[in-house]
Amino acid sequence: MNPNKIYLTQTDTTVGFLSQNKNKLNQIKKRPLNQKILREVDSLDTLKSFVRVPNRFKNKIRRAKKTTFIYPNGESFRVVKDKKHLEFLHKFQWMYSTSANLTGEKFNKNFAIKKADIIVGYNFFEGEPSTIYKLSKTKIKKVR
């Protein structure tokens, strides 16, 4: 498994491109290279290696499914709970994740297959996007 490759896979929420190379993902989506991207992690322990989780929200984060949290440092993470997707993610511990489409457009299977280095699975479907919450040290705000 090469962390710099672009993987096309069914994530816990929708069809997505995953990689540990943020710049390659932004290039594919035609976004600014410095734009922040969601990171999916395989466990709470992995999450703790990136951010400090505010005490007030630890239970919410631990129990959340298909939920992305933007932390006080501006980074966004989702702890994956879906068994099939988690099986793939365990090999890397964490990966940047973005929907498999151009920014602002619908999923196009031909585009996604053309841009991916490695295709994982074949039953692709567009599901509901994750719920997003923005955390501060004391407050939580629903973004989506």
Side-chain angles (χ1 to χ4, degrees):
M1 296 277 176
N2 184 338
N4 285 316
K5 296 277 187 190
I6 302 295
Y7 295 88
L8 174 65
T9 187
Q10 181 66 47
T11 68
D12 53 345
T13 56
T14 191
V15 185
F17 289 129
L18 281 84
S19 179
Q20 287 188 336
N21 186 331
K22 176 173 86 167
N23 290 337
K24 279 179 95 173
L25 289 174
N26 278 334
Q27 284 175 333
I28 287 172
K29 302 240 335 157
K30 298 188 175 171
R31 298 192 293 209
L33 294 180
N34 61 352
Q35 184 167 331
K36 293 185 179 185
I37 297 181
L38 158 75
R39 273 187 257 189
E40 292 184 344
V41 295
D42 65 347
S43 69
L44 292 170
D45 285 334
T46 305
L47 177 65
K48 287 181 197 173
S49 69
F50 290 106
V51 293
R52 184 186 173 285
V53 178
N55 284 335
R56 181 176 226 165
F57 307 114
K58 284 184 178 178
N59 278 339
K60 185 167 187 69
I61 291 164
R62 189 176 74 244
R63 293 183 180 133
K65 292 180 184 171
K66 298 182 182 182
T67 306
T68 299
F69 292 94
I70 303 170
Y71 289 84
N73 68 357
E75 299 291 326
S76 58
F77 292 89
R78 181 168 67 238
V79 179
V80 174
K81 305 270 173 58
D82 179 75
K83 287 181 183 173
K84 284 185 179 180
H85 186 46
L86 194 55
E87 193 176 310
F88 170 76
L89 194 57
H90 267 311
K91 295 171 182 135
F92 299 93
Q93 290 190 310
W94 69 271
M95 293 191 91
Y96 290 106
S97 175
T98 185
S99 58
N101 56 352
L102 284 170
T103 302
E105 294 188 17
K106 291 278 185 195
F107 174 66
N108 179 327
K109 191 173 185 178
N110 293 330
F111 166 79
I113 289 171
K114 191 168 97 176
K115 295 295 183 179
D117 295 323
I118 298 172
I119 300 166
V120 182
Y122 55 89
N123 280 340
F124 299 129
F125 64 89
E126 273 192 288
E128 289 288 316
S130 64
T131 305
I132 300 175
Y133 290 100
K134 185 171 179 136
L135 304 176
S136 71
K137 290 181 182 178
T138 58
K139 295 179 184 174
I140 186 167
K141 180 182 177 186
K142 188 172 183 176
V143 177
R144 175 175 72 193

